[in-house]
Structure formats: structure tokens, C-alpha cells
Amino acid sequence: MPLEAREISFRYGRKSPWILKNFSMTAEKGECIAVSAPSGYGKTTLAMLLSGYLKPEEGSILLDGKKFPKKGYCPVQLIFQHPEKAINPRWKLRHVLEEGGELQEELLAALGIEKAWLDRFPQELSGGELQRFCVARALLSGADYLICDEISTMLDVITQAQIWNVIRKEADMRNMGIIAVTHNKFLAERIANRMISISRYR
Amino acid sequence: MKKKNRRTQFVILTAAGIFVLIAVYALGIFLPEEGIAGNFLNAGQPPSPEHPFGTDNLGRDLLMRTLKGLSASMTVGIAASAISAVIAVIVGVISAAGSGRADAIVNWLIDLMMSVPHTILIILISFSLGRGMKGLLIGIAATHWCSLARLIRGEVLQLRSRQYIAVSRRLGKSGGWILTHHMLPHLAPQFLVGLVLMFPHAVLHEASVSFLGFGLPPEQATVGIILSESMRYLSAGMWWPAVLPGMTLVLLVLLVDKTGDCLRIILDPLSIREEQNGR
């Protein structure tokens, strides 16, 4: 079941300039696409549109030819750039993971999540450590597509490699589609099957 | 001995404050009734070691009466502010999470309630419900939720736009689940602190309405009644029935206020970090 953006246009508010205009792309399951563009070209907006956090003003986002379900679980999951905003600061991290699905020890170990972290609060971990939890939460939920919005920008190179290896391995195992938004050309070349760049609508 | 970090100090202060409040409350309830029996031989005595607060014109010991009165005031204060705070949460959540029309109605209602002075509203409600404990309680509970409701509404509006709430919705959680698991824990400190800070208002309103004669009956010992009775003798130079019970009430209210402030600091999630750094 392909994830498809069909001629979508988007702007924040009626009088704002268009951010995306008649943009189309298709992702197949099992595919890894890197999206790159300079700052301010609407990469994050595209990520939010593809995962249903925003609605396009024109055009439509289709999963398997249908629109996203209004209620219930959305099979396209987004991982945000800033993990500390995407985690409830009053929840212990075990709780955060359980919101995604049942804990799988192997997966957590592969991501480098230590057991002791599960009983801590988000303030007690660093951004890079928290991002692993966001990745784990999305993977545990059993998503068909993973949209990654600059998820490894704040990580050191070794951790980046570790996390992306896990994501690629899981993606191959479950035939999951990945759309990775990134600035990093080398990372894009390393992980993606193909690349898309957004050109500014003027 | 190592110096305790600030968070630990606040925990100790709060515990001490709560302990004193419970002690005052229990003292008022368990003191024997004979303590406030009248004795005309002792009428109108100034403060002395035997009667630290002096006696009133019926010869009743004023310290005993004040303590009894404080515990009655606290009952009214706790019950009224608890009811009020619950109303505030319900109204605030409805207003923020419900439709635009519900929000407009709630805001209009809050504006309306706040435009009338509390004391007048309490007197009217208490009077029409037949005065006494019931009327007073309902009167105070029905008038004090407004500002906390506004606070909670703002908090819920802010929470609704958080990323982790959006993530939760995408993970298939229902609105009710998000409300109880994500939002209410965030509102708990606001609720608790709002409750504690509402308490002094409720106690002072109880005292002032009783003082004006629209609240509790005169045979009940409350600080408001004592103050109201003391007015008649003030011009005769009997200062102690007004000053000492009044001061005690002010002290109690200040204590609750400070405890509430400490509680707010403890419940602030950012201060958890301080605890670790202090170690």
C-alpha cells in the first residue's frame, strides 16, 4: 500500500504565502526516501502533512488510495526533530514507550536504551537519549510508514549510525516505508534508495 | 551536617505547616464544651496567665472559643474551596476542550460572576438558602471557582497544542484517555495550589459574612461571630475580644498561604532537577 501525496498545496493561514504548491510524491512500502532542501523550504511542513498532523489546503494525502482514518491509530508515524517536546515531561519513560505498544527488549537494547532509563523522567535524560525513546515508541506502535524529521541532527555520529541501523533493519524486516527529512547529504546517500528535493514555490 | 538543599527545606516547611493546621483543627474539635461555658464571675477579664486571650462579657474563655471557632472556620473553608476547585476544573476543561459556543458561555458566566462583589453574592445565596452552615457553604463554593477556572482553561488550551498530545492522538488514543492520562496530571498542581490558595478567601468570607450576621448562628463559636460580638464592647475599652482572635485568624490564613506557596514550588517539575544537583 503506497503512501501518496497528490498535488498538495499548503500555507499557514489564508493570507500567508504558499509553502508547498502542487507537490506530488509517492512512497512504496520497503522503500527509503530522503527528502532534502535548504532551510525554510517546507521540509517539516511536508513531514507533518504526510503524517496527518496538518491537512493540505488543496490536493490529498492517500494511504493505499484512501484518506487517513479520522480516529484511531494512524499507520503513518512521525518522529519529531525535538524529542523533548514530543514526550510528556510528567511521564516516566516506561510509560512513554507503553503508549506506543508492548515493550520489546531486543529492540530497546538495539537502540541502546538502558534498562535503568525506563524508570526515569524525561528531564533526567539528554536529547539524544530521548530521541531513542521517540524512535522506539514509533517502532513499537507497528507503523507501516515512518516519517523522520531530522531525527538525528542533534546526535553524535556514532549514535546516528546506531539508530539508523536499527531503523533500516526493522524497516527491512517488516517491509516498512521510510521518508527521512535530512540536511545531511552523506547520511541521505547512505540510507536512502532515492532522493527527493523540494524546490521553492515562487 | 550537610546543608539541606532548597527543595528538601520546602518539603520540611510544608510538612510543618500542614502539621500545625491539622493540630489547630483537631484541637478545636476535641476541646471539651465546658471550656467555653459561661461564668459571670469571670466576665470581661483582660488577658492573664489563666485566660491568655481574656474572657468575653459572658465570662467565656476566649482562647478556647477562638480555637473552637477556627476549626469551624476551617471546616467551611476546606469544604467550600474543595467544591469550588472541582467546579473550576470541570468548567475550565469544558470551556477549553469543548466547542466554541461552550467556551463563550463559560466566559460570559465567569465575567458575570466576577462583576458582582463576592460578599454580596454570598450573602444573597446564604440568606435565600436559610443561612446556617449549608447556606454559607453553598454560597462560598458557588462564588470562588471563577479565577481558578480561567487558569485551568488557559492551561488546557496550552496543553492541547503540545506535540506529545498530538502524537498520542495519532497513536490512536481517544479524547477521554488523553484527558485523564495526559492532561489531568498536568492540572493537578494547579488544582492543588488553587485549592490551598482559595482556602484563605473562603475562611475570610465565612468570617465576614458571619460578622455581618448572614452566616453561622450566633451560638456557634466562629471567629466571625466573636469579632461581631466584640464590636459592642470595643468602645468600653475591651480590646482583647477583637484583637487577639482576629490576629489568630490572620495568622492561620497567612500560614495556609505560605504552605500553599511552598507546595507550588515543590510541585513544579523543574525543581526535581534541583534535588539531584543538591545531592
PDB file of all heavy atoms in Angstrom, chain A residues 93-94 97 103-120 124-125 128-130 132-133 136 162:
ATOM      1  N   LEU A  93       9.638   7.176  31.531  1.00  0.00           N
ATOM      2  CA  LEU A  93       9.850   6.790  30.136  1.00  0.00           C
ATOM      3  C   LEU A  93       9.269   5.420  29.788  1.00  0.00           C
ATOM      4  O   LEU A  93       8.927   5.165  28.646  1.00  0.00           O
ATOM      5  CB  LEU A  93      11.336   6.869  29.813  1.00  0.00           C
ATOM      6  CG  LEU A  93      11.700   8.356  29.719  1.00  0.00           C
ATOM      7  CD1 LEU A  93      13.125   8.599  30.083  1.00  0.00           C
ATOM      8  CD2 LEU A  93      11.399   8.894  28.339  1.00  0.00           C
ATOM      9  N   ARG A  94       9.130   4.554  30.797  1.00  0.00           N
ATOM     10  CA  ARG A  94       8.487   3.267  30.546  1.00  0.00           C
ATOM     11  C   ARG A  94       7.070   3.499  30.014  1.00  0.00           C
ATOM     12  O   ARG A  94       6.627   2.889  29.042  1.00  0.00           O
ATOM     13  CB  ARG A  94       8.426   2.455  31.848  1.00  0.00           C
ATOM     14  CG  ARG A  94       7.777   1.090  31.692  1.00  0.00           C
ATOM     15  CD  ARG A  94       7.621   0.438  33.051  1.00  0.00           C
ATOM     16  NE  ARG A  94       8.901   0.269  33.741  1.00  0.00           N
ATOM     17  CZ  ARG A  94       9.758  -0.705  33.461  1.00  0.00           C
ATOM     18  NH1 ARG A  94       9.476  -1.572  32.539  1.00  0.00           N
ATOM     19  NH2 ARG A  94      10.879  -0.790  34.124  1.00  0.00           N
ATOM     20  N   LEU A  97       6.950   4.626  26.393  1.00  0.00           N
ATOM     21  CA  LEU A  97       7.075   3.530  25.424  1.00  0.00           C
ATOM     22  C   LEU A  97       5.799   2.704  25.362  1.00  0.00           C
ATOM     23  O   LEU A  97       5.369   2.283  24.290  1.00  0.00           O
ATOM     24  CB  LEU A  97       8.256   2.621  25.799  1.00  0.00           C
ATOM     25  CG  LEU A  97       9.636   3.237  25.634  1.00  0.00           C
ATOM     26  CD1 LEU A  97      10.694   2.236  26.021  1.00  0.00           C
ATOM     27  CD2 LEU A  97       9.848   3.686  24.195  1.00  0.00           C
ATOM     28  N   LEU A 103       6.481  -3.428  25.216  1.00  0.00           N
ATOM     29  CA  LEU A 103       7.937  -3.301  25.193  1.00  0.00           C
ATOM     30  C   LEU A 103       8.593  -4.547  24.594  1.00  0.00           C
ATOM     31  O   LEU A 103       8.199  -5.666  24.903  1.00  0.00           O
ATOM     32  CB  LEU A 103       8.450  -3.119  26.630  1.00  0.00           C
ATOM     33  CG  LEU A 103       8.640  -1.685  27.116  1.00  0.00           C
ATOM     34  CD1 LEU A 103       7.354  -0.917  27.045  1.00  0.00           C
ATOM     35  CD2 LEU A 103       9.173  -1.667  28.521  1.00  0.00           C
ATOM     36  N   GLN A 104       9.562  -4.315  23.688  1.00  0.00           N
ATOM     37  CA  GLN A 104      10.342  -5.429  23.144  1.00  0.00           C
ATOM     38  C   GLN A 104      11.791  -5.198  23.537  1.00  0.00           C
ATOM     39  O   GLN A 104      12.429  -4.274  23.046  1.00  0.00           O
ATOM     40  CB  GLN A 104      10.217  -5.475  21.619  1.00  0.00           C
ATOM     41  CG  GLN A 104       8.807  -5.756  21.140  1.00  0.00           C
ATOM     42  CD  GLN A 104       8.649  -5.467  19.658  1.00  0.00           C
ATOM     43  OE1 GLN A 104       9.630  -5.302  18.942  1.00  0.00           O
ATOM     44  NE2 GLN A 104       7.405  -5.390  19.224  1.00  0.00           N
ATOM     45  N   GLU A 105      12.277  -6.079  24.400  1.00  0.00           N
ATOM     46  CA  GLU A 105      13.602  -5.834  24.978  1.00  0.00           C
ATOM     47  C   GLU A 105      14.704  -5.784  23.935  1.00  0.00           C
ATOM     48  O   GLU A 105      15.625  -4.988  24.031  1.00  0.00           O
ATOM     49  CB  GLU A 105      13.903  -6.909  26.031  1.00  0.00           C
ATOM     50  CG  GLU A 105      13.100  -6.674  27.299  1.00  0.00           C
ATOM     51  CD  GLU A 105      13.651  -7.461  28.476  1.00  0.00           C
ATOM     52  OE1 GLU A 105      14.773  -8.007  28.351  1.00  0.00           O
ATOM     53  OE2 GLU A 105      12.949  -7.525  29.489  1.00  0.00           O
ATOM     54  N   GLU A 106      14.573  -6.645  22.913  1.00  0.00           N
ATOM     55  CA  GLU A 106      15.603  -6.690  21.875  1.00  0.00           C
ATOM     56  C   GLU A 106      15.738  -5.353  21.174  1.00  0.00           C
ATOM     57  O   GLU A 106      16.846  -4.845  20.966  1.00  0.00           O
ATOM     58  CB  GLU A 106      15.229  -7.739  20.831  1.00  0.00           C
ATOM     59  CG  GLU A 106      15.990  -9.037  20.962  1.00  0.00           C
ATOM     60  CD  GLU A 106      15.466 -10.028  19.954  1.00  0.00           C
ATOM     61  OE1 GLU A 106      15.561  -9.738  18.751  1.00  0.00           O
ATOM     62  OE2 GLU A 106      14.926 -11.069  20.376  1.00  0.00           O
ATOM     63  N   LEU A 107      14.580  -4.797  20.829  1.00  0.00           N
ATOM     64  CA  LEU A 107      14.565  -3.533  20.103  1.00  0.00           C
ATOM     65  C   LEU A 107      15.179  -2.428  20.960  1.00  0.00           C
ATOM     66  O   LEU A 107      15.993  -1.624  20.488  1.00  0.00           O
ATOM     67  CB  LEU A 107      13.125  -3.188  19.728  1.00  0.00           C
ATOM     68  CG  LEU A 107      12.937  -1.864  18.994  1.00  0.00           C
ATOM     69  CD1 LEU A 107      13.570  -1.931  17.624  1.00  0.00           C
ATOM     70  CD2 LEU A 107      11.463  -1.524  18.874  1.00  0.00           C
ATOM     71  N   LEU A 108      14.797  -2.404  22.234  1.00  0.00           N
ATOM     72  CA  LEU A 108      15.317  -1.373  23.126  1.00  0.00           C
ATOM     73  C   LEU A 108      16.836  -1.511  23.267  1.00  0.00           C
ATOM     74  O   LEU A 108      17.570  -0.519  23.233  1.00  0.00           O
ATOM     75  CB  LEU A 108      14.663  -1.467  24.503  1.00  0.00           C
ATOM     76  CG  LEU A 108      13.135  -1.313  24.532  1.00  0.00           C
ATOM     77  CD1 LEU A 108      12.647  -1.191  25.964  1.00  0.00           C
ATOM     78  CD2 LEU A 108      12.672  -0.116  23.736  1.00  0.00           C
ATOM     79  N   ALA A 109      17.286  -2.755  23.383  1.00  0.00           N
ATOM     80  CA  ALA A 109      18.732  -2.976  23.516  1.00  0.00           C
ATOM     81  C   ALA A 109      19.453  -2.526  22.252  1.00  0.00           C
ATOM     82  O   ALA A 109      20.515  -1.902  22.301  1.00  0.00           O
ATOM     83  CB  ALA A 109      18.997  -4.451  23.799  1.00  0.00           C
ATOM     84  N   ALA A 110      18.856  -2.826  21.092  1.00  0.00           N
ATOM     85  CA  ALA A 110      19.476  -2.449  19.822  1.00  0.00           C
ATOM     86  C   ALA A 110      19.601  -0.937  19.702  1.00  0.00           C
ATOM     87  O   ALA A 110      20.568  -0.414  19.159  1.00  0.00           O
ATOM     88  CB  ALA A 110      18.653  -2.999  18.662  1.00  0.00           C
ATOM     89  N   LEU A 111      18.606  -0.221  20.230  1.00  0.00           N
ATOM     90  CA  LEU A 111      18.643   1.239  20.171  1.00  0.00           C
ATOM     91  C   LEU A 111      19.558   1.833  21.242  1.00  0.00           C
ATOM     92  O   LEU A 111      19.758   3.041  21.287  1.00  0.00           O
ATOM     93  CB  LEU A 111      17.234   1.812  20.354  1.00  0.00           C
ATOM     94  CG  LEU A 111      16.329   1.794  19.116  1.00  0.00           C
ATOM     95  CD1 LEU A 111      14.902   2.101  19.500  1.00  0.00           C
ATOM     96  CD2 LEU A 111      16.820   2.771  18.073  1.00  0.00           C
ATOM     97  N   GLY A 112      20.066   0.974  22.106  1.00  0.00           N
ATOM     98  CA  GLY A 112      20.954   1.463  23.160  1.00  0.00           C
ATOM     99  C   GLY A 112      20.217   2.097  24.320  1.00  0.00           C
ATOM    100  O   GLY A 112      20.746   2.972  24.994  1.00  0.00           O
ATOM    101  N   ILE A 113      18.977   1.669  24.545  1.00  0.00           N
ATOM    102  CA  ILE A 113      18.223   2.189  25.686  1.00  0.00           C
ATOM    103  C   ILE A 113      18.528   1.315  26.892  1.00  0.00           C
ATOM    104  O   ILE A 113      18.286   0.096  26.864  1.00  0.00           O
ATOM    105  CB  ILE A 113      16.706   2.183  25.398  1.00  0.00           C
ATOM    106  CG1 ILE A 113      16.386   3.189  24.299  1.00  0.00           C
ATOM    107  CG2 ILE A 113      15.914   2.484  26.654  1.00  0.00           C
ATOM    108  CD1 ILE A 113      14.951   3.166  23.842  1.00  0.00           C
ATOM    109  N   GLU A 114      19.079   1.896  27.922  1.00  0.00           N
ATOM    110  CA  GLU A 114      19.428   1.115  29.107  1.00  0.00           C
ATOM    111  C   GLU A 114      18.200   0.896  29.983  1.00  0.00           C
ATOM    112  O   GLU A 114      17.310   1.744  30.032  1.00  0.00           O
ATOM    113  CB  GLU A 114      20.519   1.841  29.900  1.00  0.00           C
ATOM    114  CG  GLU A 114      21.868   1.738  29.221  1.00  0.00           C
ATOM    115  CD  GLU A 114      22.903   2.600  29.906  1.00  0.00           C
ATOM    116  OE1 GLU A 114      22.718   2.896  31.101  1.00  0.00           O
ATOM    117  OE2 GLU A 114      23.876   2.983  29.231  1.00  0.00           O
ATOM    118  N   LYS A 115      18.191  -0.256  30.668  1.00  0.00           N
ATOM    119  CA  LYS A 115      17.013  -0.608  31.483  1.00  0.00           C
ATOM    120  C   LYS A 115      16.717   0.447  32.537  1.00  0.00           C
ATOM    121  O   LYS A 115      15.578   0.766  32.818  1.00  0.00           O
ATOM    122  CB  LYS A 115      17.257  -1.955  32.167  1.00  0.00           C
ATOM    123  CG  LYS A 115      16.907  -3.134  31.293  1.00  0.00           C
ATOM    124  CD  LYS A 115      15.936  -4.061  32.027  1.00  0.00           C
ATOM    125  CE  LYS A 115      15.456  -5.182  31.122  1.00  0.00           C
ATOM    126  NZ  LYS A 115      16.396  -6.297  31.065  1.00  0.00           N
ATOM    127  N   ALA A 116      17.786   1.008  33.112  1.00  0.00           N
ATOM    128  CA  ALA A 116      17.601   1.953  34.218  1.00  0.00           C
ATOM    129  C   ALA A 116      16.881   3.216  33.759  1.00  0.00           C
ATOM    130  O   ALA A 116      16.216   3.882  34.547  1.00  0.00           O
ATOM    131  CB  ALA A 116      18.956   2.317  34.816  1.00  0.00           C
ATOM    132  N   TRP A 117      17.002   3.541  32.472  1.00  0.00           N
ATOM    133  CA  TRP A 117      16.367   4.768  31.967  1.00  0.00           C
ATOM    134  C   TRP A 117      14.852   4.693  32.016  1.00  0.00           C
ATOM    135  O   TRP A 117      14.180   5.716  32.062  1.00  0.00           O
ATOM    136  CB  TRP A 117      16.779   5.022  30.503  1.00  0.00           C
ATOM    137  CG  TRP A 117      18.229   5.308  30.324  1.00  0.00           C
ATOM    138  CD1 TRP A 117      19.156   5.440  31.312  1.00  0.00           C
ATOM    139  CD2 TRP A 117      18.921   5.485  29.091  1.00  0.00           C
ATOM    140  NE1 TRP A 117      20.381   5.693  30.757  1.00  0.00           N
ATOM    141  CE2 TRP A 117      20.274   5.734  29.395  1.00  0.00           C
ATOM    142  CE3 TRP A 117      18.523   5.471  27.752  1.00  0.00           C
ATOM    143  CZ2 TRP A 117      21.222   5.956  28.417  1.00  0.00           C
ATOM    144  CZ3 TRP A 117      19.472   5.693  26.776  1.00  0.00           C
ATOM    145  CH2 TRP A 117      20.823   5.926  27.108  1.00  0.00           C
ATOM    146  N   LEU A 118      14.317   3.460  31.961  1.00  0.00           N
ATOM    147  CA  LEU A 118      12.869   3.304  31.867  1.00  0.00           C
ATOM    148  C   LEU A 118      12.152   3.900  33.079  1.00  0.00           C
ATOM    149  O   LEU A 118      11.010   4.320  32.986  1.00  0.00           O
ATOM    150  CB  LEU A 118      12.508   1.828  31.738  1.00  0.00           C
ATOM    151  CG  LEU A 118      12.929   1.172  30.413  1.00  0.00           C
ATOM    152  CD1 LEU A 118      12.581  -0.294  30.425  1.00  0.00           C
ATOM    153  CD2 LEU A 118      12.269   1.856  29.239  1.00  0.00           C
ATOM    154  N   ASP A 119      12.829   3.908  34.221  1.00  0.00           N
ATOM    155  CA  ASP A 119      12.175   4.416  35.429  1.00  0.00           C
ATOM    156  C   ASP A 119      12.565   5.850  35.721  1.00  0.00           C
ATOM    157  O   ASP A 119      12.419   6.323  36.844  1.00  0.00           O
ATOM    158  CB  ASP A 119      12.510   3.515  36.619  1.00  0.00           C
ATOM    159  CG  ASP A 119      11.878   2.154  36.440  1.00  0.00           C
ATOM    160  OD1 ASP A 119      10.678   2.108  36.136  1.00  0.00           O
ATOM    161  OD2 ASP A 119      12.593   1.137  36.574  1.00  0.00           O
ATOM    162  N   ARG A 120      13.071   6.554  34.711  1.00  0.00           N
ATOM    163  CA  ARG A 120      13.429   7.950  34.928  1.00  0.00           C
ATOM    164  C   ARG A 120      12.422   8.871  34.261  1.00  0.00           C
ATOM    165  O   ARG A 120      11.625   8.452  33.424  1.00  0.00           O
ATOM    166  CB  ARG A 120      14.803   8.217  34.328  1.00  0.00           C
ATOM    167  CG  ARG A 120      15.892   7.501  35.066  1.00  0.00           C
ATOM    168  CD  ARG A 120      17.201   8.171  34.826  1.00  0.00           C
ATOM    169  NE  ARG A 120      18.291   7.326  35.289  1.00  0.00           N
ATOM    170  CZ  ARG A 120      19.520   7.417  34.823  1.00  0.00           C
ATOM    171  NH1 ARG A 120      19.795   8.294  33.873  1.00  0.00           N
ATOM    172  NH2 ARG A 120      20.465   6.641  35.295  1.00  0.00           N
ATOM    173  N   GLU A 124      15.584  13.888  33.087  1.00  0.00           N
ATOM    174  CA  GLU A 124      16.819  13.294  33.577  1.00  0.00           C
ATOM    175  C   GLU A 124      17.657  12.688  32.459  1.00  0.00           C
ATOM    176  O   GLU A 124      18.719  12.137  32.720  1.00  0.00           O
ATOM    177  CB  GLU A 124      16.496  12.212  34.614  1.00  0.00           C
ATOM    178  CG  GLU A 124      15.707  12.777  35.783  1.00  0.00           C
ATOM    179  CD  GLU A 124      15.241  11.696  36.727  1.00  0.00           C
ATOM    180  OE1 GLU A 124      16.097  11.044  37.317  1.00  0.00           O
ATOM    181  OE2 GLU A 124      14.028  11.504  36.879  1.00  0.00           O
ATOM    182  N   LEU A 125      17.176  12.783  31.200  1.00  0.00           N
ATOM    183  CA  LEU A 125      17.941  12.234  30.088  1.00  0.00           C
ATOM    184  C   LEU A 125      18.279  13.348  29.107  1.00  0.00           C
ATOM    185  O   LEU A 125      17.630  14.387  29.072  1.00  0.00           O
ATOM    186  CB  LEU A 125      17.116  11.158  29.373  1.00  0.00           C
ATOM    187  CG  LEU A 125      16.807   9.903  30.177  1.00  0.00           C
ATOM    188  CD1 LEU A 125      16.015   8.936  29.328  1.00  0.00           C
ATOM    189  CD2 LEU A 125      18.070   9.223  30.656  1.00  0.00           C
ATOM    190  N   GLY A 128      19.594  13.313  22.971  1.00  0.00           N
ATOM    191  CA  GLY A 128      19.890  12.142  22.159  1.00  0.00           C
ATOM    192  C   GLY A 128      19.306  10.872  22.748  1.00  0.00           C
ATOM    193  O   GLY A 128      18.788  10.016  22.033  1.00  0.00           O
ATOM    194  N   GLU A 129      19.359  10.800  24.066  1.00  0.00           N
ATOM    195  CA  GLU A 129      18.782   9.625  24.735  1.00  0.00           C
ATOM    196  C   GLU A 129      17.266   9.599  24.561  1.00  0.00           C
ATOM    197  O   GLU A 129      16.664   8.554  24.327  1.00  0.00           O
ATOM    198  CB  GLU A 129      19.157   9.632  26.220  1.00  0.00           C
ATOM    199  CG  GLU A 129      20.617   9.289  26.449  1.00  0.00           C
ATOM    200  CD  GLU A 129      21.126   9.667  27.827  1.00  0.00           C
ATOM    201  OE1 GLU A 129      20.474  10.461  28.533  1.00  0.00           O
ATOM    202  OE2 GLU A 129      22.197   9.181  28.204  1.00  0.00           O
ATOM    203  N   LEU A 130      16.659  10.793  24.647  1.00  0.00           N
ATOM    204  CA  LEU A 130      15.204  10.869  24.488  1.00  0.00           C
ATOM    205  C   LEU A 130      14.791  10.507  23.065  1.00  0.00           C
ATOM    206  O   LEU A 130      13.744   9.887  22.867  1.00  0.00           O
ATOM    207  CB  LEU A 130      14.707  12.279  24.815  1.00  0.00           C
ATOM    208  CG  LEU A 130      14.664  12.659  26.282  1.00  0.00           C
ATOM    209  CD1 LEU A 130      14.172  14.093  26.426  1.00  0.00           C
ATOM    210  CD2 LEU A 130      13.746  11.739  27.052  1.00  0.00           C
ATOM    211  N   ARG A 132      15.973   8.348  21.151  1.00  0.00           N
ATOM    212  CA  ARG A 132      15.867   6.891  21.007  1.00  0.00           C
ATOM    213  C   ARG A 132      14.497   6.413  21.476  1.00  0.00           C
ATOM    214  O   ARG A 132      13.923   5.495  20.904  1.00  0.00           O
ATOM    215  CB  ARG A 132      16.926   6.182  21.837  1.00  0.00           C
ATOM    216  CG  ARG A 132      18.324   6.573  21.456  1.00  0.00           C
ATOM    217  CD  ARG A 132      19.280   6.142  22.535  1.00  0.00           C
ATOM    218  NE  ARG A 132      20.484   6.949  22.483  1.00  0.00           N
ATOM    219  CZ  ARG A 132      21.717   6.444  22.487  1.00  0.00           C
ATOM    220  NH1 ARG A 132      21.885   5.152  22.570  1.00  0.00           N
ATOM    221  NH2 ARG A 132      22.741   7.244  22.431  1.00  0.00           N
ATOM    222  N   PHE A 133      13.987   7.059  22.534  1.00  0.00           N
ATOM    223  CA  PHE A 133      12.665   6.657  23.028  1.00  0.00           C
ATOM    224  C   PHE A 133      11.584   6.996  22.005  1.00  0.00           C
ATOM    225  O   PHE A 133      10.643   6.232  21.814  1.00  0.00           O
ATOM    226  CB  PHE A 133      12.358   7.344  24.363  1.00  0.00           C
ATOM    227  CG  PHE A 133      13.041   6.689  25.524  1.00  0.00           C
ATOM    228  CD1 PHE A 133      14.296   7.084  25.922  1.00  0.00           C
ATOM    229  CD2 PHE A 133      12.428   5.653  26.202  1.00  0.00           C
ATOM    230  CE1 PHE A 133      14.934   6.474  26.974  1.00  0.00           C
ATOM    231  CE2 PHE A 133      13.052   5.033  27.266  1.00  0.00           C
ATOM    232  CZ  PHE A 133      14.313   5.448  27.658  1.00  0.00           C
ATOM    233  N   ALA A 136      11.817   4.424  19.377  1.00  0.00           N
ATOM    234  CA  ALA A 136      11.293   3.157  19.897  1.00  0.00           C
ATOM    235  C   ALA A 136       9.770   3.188  19.966  1.00  0.00           C
ATOM    236  O   ALA A 136       9.106   2.222  19.597  1.00  0.00           O
ATOM    237  CB  ALA A 136      11.868   2.877  21.282  1.00  0.00           C
ATOM    238  N   GLN A 162      24.075   4.137  14.857  1.00  0.00           N
ATOM    239  CA  GLN A 162      23.395   3.094  15.634  1.00  0.00           C
ATOM    240  C   GLN A 162      21.885   3.149  15.396  1.00  0.00           C
ATOM    241  O   GLN A 162      21.256   2.137  15.089  1.00  0.00           O
ATOM    242  CB  GLN A 162      23.712   3.306  17.119  1.00  0.00           C
ATOM    243  CG  GLN A 162      23.194   2.205  18.010  1.00  0.00           C
ATOM    244  CD  GLN A 162      23.427   2.543  19.484  1.00  0.00           C
ATOM    245  OE1 GLN A 162      23.629   3.700  19.832  1.00  0.00           O
ATOM    246  NE2 GLN A 162      23.387   1.531  20.328  1.00  0.00           N
TER     247      GLN A 162
END
